[in-house]
Amino acid sequence: ETNTLPFQPFENQQGDILRMEKEHQVLKEQLREAEEKFEQLQSRSLEEVGALEELLKKSIEETEVSQNELDWFHQDSETQMKKWQQEKKENRENLKALKGTAKKHSDTNERYLKTIDEKDKQYNVCLNTFLETSNQFANEKGKLEELIKKSQGDSQECEKRAVRAEISVLQTWKETEIWKLKGSIAKAEGNLRMLKALSSSASAAPVLKSQIDSWEIFMSNVKKQLEKVEAEYEEKIELVKNGARNCLSKVEVVDLPCP
């Protein structure tokens, strides 16, 4: 009879205990899985609740800010409304004053129009007189321009003649001074030839050497003076040719004494 009959009172049929144990294990496993799922759901729910609470807190803050902004907007609107009403009142007063000013200007404009008509008549009279006088002056102006043109031609011709005369005078002065200086050089050269000829004798050489040196120095100075005079006169002539004035003056020539 061992293990062949139900174990009372726990079994009604053979194997009820084993079946119950198996069902108990299955239920425990399901309970464990349900607890895990519950924990996961609870954790996710807590996270979602935290996020929703944070979102709710943010929404409340934004609502408070929006309410403050709305209050400020109402205050600003009231201020702008009062300001607009004041400006409307001032504009109405200004419009009234402008209408009065416009009427005054209109009356003044009518007076000015009458005055302008009178001035136009006076202007036409003066214009006719001016045109007659202008025609007379135009005729006289034409005659004067002809005279001026002729005078300018004469003046240019006189200037050319004056320039030619100044150049001629300067050229004459230059040639005169050059002739004088070249004469002094020729005289010095003649004296030097004579002195050098006389100094060929041994007895006269020491006596005449100082005189020969003096004449050579004199001739050198005269040649320098000649170059200076010629250059300065040429410079004056070029200045006159280029239109310069007040150049008609002699070049200063140093009178070198003969030895």
Side-chain angles (χ1 to χ4, degrees):
E1 296 179 352
T2 304
N3 294 330
T4 59
L5 295 175
F7 182 55
Q8 296 293 337
F10 301 104
E11 290 181 319
N12 292 323
Q13 293 180 0
Q14 180 67 27
D16 282 346
I17 292 176
L18 293 174
R19 188 171 59 255
M20 289 177 67
E21 285 183 356
K22 289 179 181 179
E23 290 177 356
H24 180 67
Q25 289 296 330
V26 170
L27 289 173
K28 282 179 69 176
E29 185 65 25
Q30 290 177 352
L31 179 61
R32 186 181 63 76
E33 292 178 356
E35 286 178 350
E36 290 179 356
K37 289 181 180 179
F38 173 75
E39 289 176 356
Q40 292 175 0
L41 290 171
Q42 188 179 22
S43 176
R44 193 161 54 245
S45 297
L46 288 173
E47 292 177 357
E48 292 178 354
V49 169
L52 290 172
E53 287 178 350
E54 186 66 26
L55 183 61
L56 179 61
K57 182 179 178 182
K58 186 176 180 181
S59 298
I60 292 172
E61 291 176 353
E62 290 177 352
T63 302
E64 291 177 353
V65 172
S66 299
Q67 185 63 38
N68 292 332
E69 291 178 351
L70 183 62
D71 293 339
W72 294 339
F73 176 75
H74 283 313
Q75 293 176 359
D76 187 62
S77 298
E78 290 177 358
T79 304
Q80 293 293 333
M81 181 63 71
K82 291 178 181 179
K83 183 178 179 182
W84 179 79
Q85 289 177 351
Q86 181 65 27
E87 290 178 353
K88 183 179 179 182
K89 181 180 178 182
E90 292 176 355
N91 290 334
R92 197 174 288 147
E93 294 175 353
N94 290 334
L95 180 61
K96 184 178 179 181
L98 287 173
K99 285 181 178 179
T101 305
K103 189 175 184 306
K104 291 180 182 178
H105 288 329
S106 178
D107 296 339
T108 305
N109 191 33
E110 290 179 359
R111 290 197 304 271
Y112 285 159
L113 287 173
K114 291 179 181 179
T115 305
I116 288 170
D117 290 337
E118 295 176 357
K119 296 294 182 183
D120 281 339
K121 293 177 182 178
Q122 295 177 4
Y123 170 76
N124 289 328
V125 173
C126 293
L127 179 62
N128 293 330
T129 305
F130 169 76
L131 291 175
E132 292 176 0
T133 307
S134 177
N135 291 331
Q136 294 176 0
F137 282 137
N139 294 330
E140 294 179 2
K141 180 183 176 183
K143 295 177 182 178
L144 290 173
E145 286 178 348
E146 289 295 327
L147 291 173
I148 290 170
K149 186 176 180 181
K150 183 180 178 182
S151 298
Q152 286 178 344
D154 296 341
S155 175
Q156 291 176 357
E157 184 62 28
C158 289
E159 287 181 0
K160 292 178 181 178
R161 289 170 57 191
V163 169
R164 289 197 297 269
E166 288 186 11
I167 292 173
S168 176
V169 171
L170 290 171
Q171 193 72 30
T172 302
W173 287 347
K174 183 184 87 168
E175 292 174 356
T176 301
E177 295 298 335
I178 289 174
W179 180 80
K180 289 180 180 178
L181 292 171
K182 284 184 177 180
S184 297
I185 292 171
K187 180 180 178 182
E189 288 175 347
N191 289 334
L192 281 171
R193 284 196 299 272
M194 182 182 66
L195 290 172
K196 286 179 180 179
L198 293 174
S199 65
S200 59
S201 63
S203 60
V207 179
L208 297 176
K209 186 178 182 306
S210 63
Q211 294 185 21
I212 291 172
D213 292 340
S214 297
W215 277 104
E216 286 179 346
I217 293 170
F218 171 78
M219 187 172 65
S220 176
N221 292 333
V222 172
K223 286 181 178 179
K224 291 179 182 178
Q225 187 75 13
L226 175 64
E227 293 175 357
K228 173 179 174 295
V229 168
E230 190 171 6
E232 290 187 9
Y233 271 115
E234 285 298 327
E235 182 181 358
K236 285 179 176 290
I237 290 170
E238 286 299 321
L239 289 173
V240 172
K241 287 181 179 179
N242 293 328
R245 295 291 180 267
N246 299 325
C247 296
L248 195 61
S249 60
K250 288 186 177 183
V251 174
E252 184 179 355
V253 180
V254 179
D255 189 11
L256 299 173
C258 294

